[in-house]
Amino acid sequence: MARGELQRPTGNGECGQDDCANVYRTASGSFVVQGDVSQASQPPEGEGLTEIPEAVLREAVRVPGW
């Protein structure tokens, strides 16, 4: 899936439009989370863990219609 196909409800705060911690919504309604790779635990094969600030999640849930 191309980045242009994702809705970006976050990223207008500290990061502006830069590629930093972010939450995206796909056309099917699922979410993609972008952030620093976390070493908190070992995820299953084919999965990964990212770490994003609490403020980014709070911003995502405040978006109208969610």
Coordinates of all heavy atoms in Angstrom, one line a residue:
M1 N 0.8 -1.2 0.0 CA 0.0 0.0 0.0 C 0.9 1.2 0.0 O 1.8 1.3 0.8 CB -0.9 0.0 1.2 CG -1.7 1.2 1.4 SD -2.8 1.2 2.9 CE -3.8 -0.3 2.5
A2 N 0.6 2.2 -0.9 CA 1.4 3.4 -0.9 C 1.0 4.4 0.2 O -0.2 4.4 0.6 CB 1.2 4.1 -2.3
R3 N 1.9 5.1 0.7 CA 1.6 6.1 1.7 C 0.5 7.1 1.3 O -0.3 7.5 2.1 CB 2.9 6.9 2.1 CG 2.6 7.9 3.2 CD 3.8 8.7 3.6 NE 4.6 7.8 4.4 CZ 5.8 8.1 4.9 NH1 6.3 9.3 4.7 NH2 6.5 7.3 5.6
G4 N 0.4 7.4 0.1 CA -0.6 8.3 -0.4 C -2.0 7.8 -0.3 O -3.0 8.5 -0.3
E5 N -2.1 6.5 -0.1 CA -3.4 5.8 0.1 C -3.9 5.9 1.5 O -5.0 5.4 1.9 CB -3.4 4.4 -0.4 CG -3.0 4.2 -1.8 CD -2.9 2.8 -2.2 OE1 -3.8 2.0 -1.9 OE2 -1.9 2.4 -2.8
L6 N -3.0 6.4 2.5 CA -3.4 6.4 3.9 C -3.9 7.8 4.3 O -3.4 8.8 3.9 CB -2.1 6.1 4.7 CG -1.5 4.7 4.5 CD1 -0.2 4.6 5.2 CD2 -2.4 3.6 4.9
Q7 N -4.9 7.8 5.2 CA -5.4 9.0 5.7 C -4.5 9.3 6.9 O -4.3 8.5 7.8 CB -6.9 8.8 6.2 CG -7.4 10.0 6.8 CD -8.8 9.8 7.4 OE1 -9.3 8.6 7.5 NE2 -9.5 10.8 7.8
R8 N -4.1 10.6 7.1 CA -3.2 11.0 8.1 C -3.9 11.9 9.1 O -3.9 13.1 8.9 CB -1.9 11.6 7.6 CG -0.9 12.0 8.6 CD 0.3 12.5 7.9 NE 1.4 12.8 8.9 CZ 2.6 13.2 8.7 NH1 2.9 13.4 7.4 NH2 3.5 13.3 9.6
P9 N -4.5 11.4 10.2 CA -5.2 12.2 11.1 C -4.3 12.9 12.1 O -4.8 13.8 12.8 CB -6.2 11.3 11.8 CG -5.4 10.0 11.8 CD -4.7 10.0 10.5
T10 N -3.1 12.5 12.2 CA -2.1 13.1 13.2 C -1.0 13.8 12.4 O -0.8 13.6 11.2 CB -1.6 12.1 14.1 OG1 -0.9 11.1 13.4 CG2 -2.7 11.4 14.9
G11 N -0.1 14.4 13.2 CA 1.1 15.0 12.6 C 1.1 16.5 12.4 O 2.0 17.0 11.8
N12 N 0.1 17.1 13.0 CA 0.0 18.6 12.9 C 0.6 19.3 14.1 O 0.6 20.5 14.2 CB -1.4 19.1 12.6 CG -1.9 18.5 11.3 OD1 -1.2 18.5 10.3 ND2 -3.2 18.2 11.2
G13 N 1.1 18.5 15.1 CA 1.6 19.1 16.3 C 3.1 19.3 16.2 O 3.6 20.0 15.3
E14 N 3.8 18.7 17.1 CA 5.3 18.9 17.2 C 6.0 18.6 15.9 O 7.0 19.2 15.6 CB 5.9 18.0 18.3 CG 5.4 18.4 19.7 CD 5.9 17.4 20.7 OE1 6.9 16.7 20.5 OE2 5.3 17.3 21.8
C15 N 5.5 17.6 15.2 CA 6.3 17.1 14.0 C 5.9 17.8 12.7 O 6.6 17.6 11.7 CB 6.0 15.6 13.8 SG 6.6 14.6 15.2
G16 N 4.8 18.5 12.7 CA 4.4 19.2 11.5 C 4.1 18.1 10.5 O 3.4 17.1 10.7
Q17 N 4.6 18.2 9.3 CA 4.4 17.2 8.2 C 5.6 16.3 8.0 O 5.7 15.6 7.1 CB 4.0 17.9 6.9 CG 2.7 18.6 6.9 CD 1.5 17.7 7.2 OE1 1.4 16.6 6.6 NE2 0.7 18.1 8.1
D18 N 6.5 16.3 9.0 CA 7.7 15.4 8.9 C 7.3 14.0 9.2 O 6.2 13.7 9.7 CB 8.8 15.9 9.9 CG 9.4 17.2 9.5 OD1 9.3 17.6 8.3 OD2 9.9 17.9 10.4
D19 N 8.2 13.1 8.8 CA 7.9 11.6 9.0 C 8.4 11.2 10.4 O 9.4 10.7 10.6 CB 8.7 10.8 8.0 CG 8.0 10.9 6.6 OD1 6.8 11.3 6.6 OD2 8.7 10.7 5.6
C20 N 7.6 11.5 11.4 CA 7.9 11.1 12.8 C 6.8 10.3 13.3 O 5.9 9.8 12.5 CB 8.1 12.4 13.7 SG 6.8 13.5 13.6
A21 N 6.7 10.0 14.6 CA 5.6 9.2 15.1 C 4.3 9.6 14.6 O 4.0 10.8 14.6 CB 5.6 9.3 16.6
N22 N 3.5 8.7 14.1 CA 2.2 9.0 13.5 C 1.3 7.9 13.5 O 1.7 6.7 13.7 CB 2.5 9.5 12.0 CG 1.5 10.6 11.6 OD1 0.4 10.6 12.0 ND2 2.0 11.5 10.8
V23 N 0.0 8.1 13.3 CA -1.0 7.1 13.2 C -1.7 7.4 11.8 O -2.1 8.5 11.5 CB -2.1 7.2 14.3 CG1 -3.2 6.2 14.1 CG2 -1.4 7.0 15.7
Y24 N -1.9 6.3 11.0 CA -2.5 6.4 9.7 C -3.8 5.5 9.7 O -3.8 4.5 10.4 CB -1.6 6.0 8.6 CG -0.4 6.8 8.4 CD1 0.8 6.5 9.0 CD2 -0.4 7.9 7.6 CE1 1.9 7.2 8.8 CE2 0.7 8.7 7.4 CZ 1.9 8.3 8.0 OH 3.0 9.1 7.8
R25 N -4.8 5.9 9.0 CA -6.0 5.0 8.8 C -6.0 4.6 7.3 O -5.9 5.4 6.4 CB -7.2 5.8 9.1 CG -8.4 4.9 9.2 CD -9.6 5.7 9.8 NE -10.7 4.7 10.0 CZ -11.9 5.1 10.4 NH1 -12.2 6.4 10.6 NH2 -12.8 4.2 10.6
T26 N -6.2 3.3 7.1 CA -6.3 2.7 5.8 C -7.7 2.9 5.2 O -8.7 3.1 6.0 CB -5.9 1.3 5.8 OG1 -6.9 0.5 6.5 CG2 -4.5 1.1 6.4
A27 N -7.9 2.6 3.9 CA -9.2 2.7 3.3 C -10.1 1.6 3.9 O -11.3 1.9 3.9 CB -9.0 2.5 1.8
S28 N -9.6 0.5 4.4 CA -10.4 -0.5 5.0 C -10.8 -0.2 6.5 O -11.5 -1.0 7.1 CB -9.8 -1.9 4.9 OG -8.6 -1.9 5.7
G29 N -10.2 0.9 7.0 CA -10.6 1.3 8.4 C -9.6 0.8 9.4 O -9.7 1.1 10.6
S30 N -8.6 0.0 9.0 CA -7.6 -0.4 10.0 C -6.5 0.7 10.2 O -6.6 1.8 9.5 CB -6.9 -1.7 9.5 OG -6.2 -1.4 8.3
F31 N -5.6 0.6 11.1 CA -4.7 1.6 11.5 C -3.2 1.1 11.2 O -2.9 -0.1 11.5 CB -4.8 2.0 12.9 CG -6.1 2.7 13.2 CD1 -7.2 1.9 13.6 CD2 -6.3 4.0 13.0 CE1 -8.4 2.5 13.9 CE2 -7.5 4.6 13.2 CZ -8.6 3.9 13.7
V32 N -2.4 2.0 10.8 CA -1.0 1.8 10.7 C -0.3 2.8 11.6 O -0.6 4.0 11.6 CB -0.5 2.0 9.2 CG1 1.0 1.8 9.1 CG2 -1.2 1.0 8.3
V33 N 0.6 2.3 12.5 CA 1.3 3.2 13.4 C 2.8 3.3 13.0 O 3.4 2.3 12.8 CB 1.2 2.6 14.9 CG1 1.9 3.5 15.8 CG2 -0.3 2.5 15.3
Q34 N 3.2 4.5 12.9 CA 4.6 4.7 12.6 C 5.3 5.3 13.8 O 4.8 6.2 14.4 CB 4.7 5.7 11.4 CG 6.1 6.2 11.1 CD 6.1 7.3 10.0 OE1 5.2 7.4 9.2 NE2 7.1 8.1 10.0
G35 N 6.5 4.8 14.1 CA 7.3 5.3 15.2 C 8.6 4.7 15.3 O 9.0 3.9 14.4
D36 N 9.4 5.0 16.3 CA 10.7 4.4 16.5 C 10.5 2.9 16.8 O 9.6 2.5 17.5 CB 11.4 5.0 17.7 CG 11.8 6.5 17.4 OD1 12.0 6.8 16.2 OD2 11.9 7.2 18.3
V37 N 11.4 2.1 16.2 CA 11.4 0.6 16.5 C 11.7 0.4 17.9 O 12.6 1.0 18.5 CB 12.4 -0.1 15.6 CG1 12.5 -1.6 15.9 CG2 12.1 0.1 14.1
S38 N 10.8 -0.4 18.6 CA 11.0 -0.7 20.0 C 11.6 -2.1 20.2 O 11.4 -3.0 19.4 CB 9.6 -0.7 20.7 OG 9.7 -1.1 22.0
Q39 N 12.5 -2.2 21.2 CA 13.1 -3.4 21.5 C 12.5 -4.0 22.8 O 13.1 -4.8 23.5 CB 14.6 -3.2 21.8 CG 15.3 -2.7 20.6 CD 15.2 -3.5 19.3 OE1 15.3 -4.8 19.4 NE2 15.1 -2.9 18.2
A40 N 11.2 -3.6 23.2 CA 10.6 -4.0 24.4 C 10.3 -5.5 24.5 O 10.4 -6.0 25.6 CB 9.2 -3.2 24.5
S41 N 10.1 -6.1 23.4 CA 9.9 -7.6 23.4 C 10.1 -8.1 21.9 O 10.2 -7.3 21.0 CB 8.6 -8.0 23.9 OG 7.6 -7.9 23.0
Q42 N 10.2 -9.3 21.8 CA 10.4 -9.9 20.4 C 9.0 -10.3 19.9 O 8.4 -11.2 20.4 CB 11.3 -11.1 20.5 CG 11.6 -11.8 19.2 CD 12.5 -10.9 18.3 OE1 12.1 -9.8 17.9 NE2 13.7 -11.4 18.1
P43 N 8.6 -9.6 18.8 CA 7.3 -9.9 18.2 C 7.3 -11.2 17.4 O 8.4 -11.6 17.0 CB 7.0 -8.7 17.3 CG 8.3 -8.2 16.9 CD 9.2 -8.5 18.1
P44 N 6.2 -11.8 17.1 CA 6.1 -13.0 16.2 C 6.7 -12.6 14.8 O 6.7 -11.5 14.4 CB 4.7 -13.3 16.2 CG 4.0 -12.6 17.3 CD 4.9 -11.4 17.6
E45 N 7.1 -13.7 14.1 CA 7.6 -13.5 12.8 C 6.6 -12.8 11.9 O 5.4 -13.0 12.0 CB 7.8 -14.9 12.2 CG 8.3 -14.9 10.7 CD 9.8 -14.5 10.7 OE1 10.5 -14.7 11.6 OE2 10.2 -14.0 9.6
G46 N 7.1 -11.8 11.1 CA 6.2 -11.0 10.3 C 5.6 -9.8 10.9 O 4.8 -9.1 10.3
E47 N 5.8 -9.6 12.2 CA 5.3 -8.5 12.9 C 6.4 -7.6 13.5 O 7.5 -8.0 13.6 CB 4.3 -8.9 14.1 CG 3.1 -9.7 13.6 CD 2.2 -10.0 14.7 OE1 2.4 -9.6 15.9 OE2 1.2 -10.7 14.5
G48 N 6.0 -6.4 13.9 CA 7.0 -5.5 14.5 C 6.4 -4.6 15.5 O 5.2 -4.5 15.6
L49 N 7.2 -4.1 16.4 CA 6.8 -3.2 17.4 C 7.3 -1.8 17.1 O 8.5 -1.6 16.8 CB 7.3 -3.6 18.8 CG 6.9 -5.0 19.3 CD1 7.6 -5.3 20.6 CD2 5.4 -5.1 19.5
T50 N 6.5 -0.8 17.3 CA 6.9 0.6 17.2 C 6.6 1.3 18.5 O 5.7 0.9 19.2 CB 6.3 1.4 16.0 OG1 4.9 1.5 16.2 CG2 6.6 0.7 14.7
E51 N 7.3 2.4 18.8 CA 7.0 3.2 20.0 C 6.7 4.6 19.6 O 7.4 5.2 18.8 CB 8.3 3.2 20.8 CG 8.1 3.7 22.2 CD 9.3 3.5 23.1 OE1 10.1 2.6 22.8 OE2 9.5 4.3 24.0
I52 N 5.5 5.1 20.0 CA 5.1 6.4 19.7 C 4.7 7.1 21.0 O 4.2 6.5 21.9 CB 3.9 6.4 18.6 CG1 2.7 5.8 19.2 CG2 4.4 5.8 17.3 CD1 1.5 6.0 18.3
P53 N 4.8 8.4 21.0 CA 4.4 9.2 22.2 C 2.9 9.2 22.5 O 2.1 9.1 21.5 CB 4.8 10.6 21.8 CG 5.8 10.5 20.7 CD 5.4 9.3 20.0
E54 N 2.5 9.2 23.7 CA 1.1 9.2 24.1 C 0.4 10.4 23.4 O -0.8 10.2 23.0 CB 1.0 9.4 25.6 CG -0.4 9.4 26.1 CD -0.5 9.6 27.6 OE1 0.5 9.2 28.3 OE2 -1.6 10.0 28.1
A55 N 1.0 11.5 23.2 CA 0.4 12.7 22.6 C -0.1 12.3 21.2 O -1.2 12.9 20.8 CB 1.3 13.8 22.6
V56 N 0.6 11.5 20.5 CA 0.2 11.2 19.1 C -1.1 10.3 19.2 O -2.0 10.5 18.4 CB 1.3 10.4 18.4 CG1 0.8 9.9 17.0 CG2 2.5 11.3 18.2
L57 N -1.2 9.4 20.1 CA -2.4 8.6 20.2 C -3.6 9.4 20.7 O -4.7 9.3 20.2 CB -2.2 7.4 21.2 CG -1.3 6.3 20.7 CD1 -1.1 5.3 21.8 CD2 -1.8 5.7 19.5
R58 N -3.4 10.3 21.6 CA -4.4 11.2 22.0 C -4.9 12.1 20.9 O -6.1 12.3 20.7 CB -4.0 12.1 23.2 CG -3.8 11.4 24.5 CD -3.4 12.3 25.6 NE -3.2 11.6 26.8 CZ -4.2 11.3 27.7 NH1 -5.4 11.6 27.4 NH2 -3.9 10.6 28.8
E59 N -4.0 12.6 20.0 CA -4.4 13.4 18.9 C -5.3 12.5 17.9 O -6.3 13.0 17.4 CB -3.1 13.9 18.2 CG -3.4 14.8 17.0 CD -2.2 15.3 16.3 OE1 -1.0 15.0 16.8 OE2 -2.3 15.9 15.3
A60 N -4.9 11.3 17.7 CA -5.6 10.4 16.8 C -7.0 10.2 17.2 O -7.9 10.2 16.4 CB -4.9 9.1 16.6
V61 N -7.3 10.0 18.5 CA -8.6 9.7 19.0 C -9.5 11.0 19.1 O -10.7 10.9 19.1 CB -8.7 9.0 20.4 CG1 -7.9 7.7 20.3 CG2 -8.1 9.8 21.5
R62 N -8.9 12.1 19.0 CA -9.7 13.4 19.0 C -10.2 13.7 17.6 O -11.0 14.7 17.4 CB -8.8 14.5 19.5 CG -8.7 14.5 21.0 CD -8.2 15.9 21.5 NE -7.0 16.3 20.9 CZ -5.8 16.1 21.4 NH1 -5.6 15.6 22.6 NH2 -4.7 16.5 20.7
V63 N -9.7 13.1 16.6 CA -10.1 13.4 15.2 C -11.6 13.2 15.0 O -12.1 12.2 15.4 CB -9.3 12.5 14.2 CG1 -9.8 12.7 12.8 CG2 -7.8 12.8 14.3
P64 N -12.3 14.2 14.5 CA -13.8 14.0 14.4 C -14.2 12.8 13.6 O -13.5 12.4 12.6 CB -14.2 15.3 13.6 CG -13.1 16.3 13.9 CD -11.8 15.4 14.1
G65 N -15.2 12.1 14.1 CA -15.7 10.9 13.4 C -15.1 9.6 13.9 O -15.5 8.6 13.4
W66 N -14.2 9.7 14.8 CA -13.5 8.4 15.3 C -14.1 8.0 16.6 O -14.2 8.6 17.5 CB -12.0 8.6 15.4 CG -11.4 8.5 14.0 CD1 -12.0 8.8 12.8 CD2 -10.0 8.3 13.7 NE1 -11.0 8.7 11.8 CE2 -9.8 8.4 12.4 CE3 -8.9 8.0 14.5 CZ2 -8.6 8.2 11.8 CZ3 -7.7 7.9 13.9 CH2 -7.6 8.0 12.6

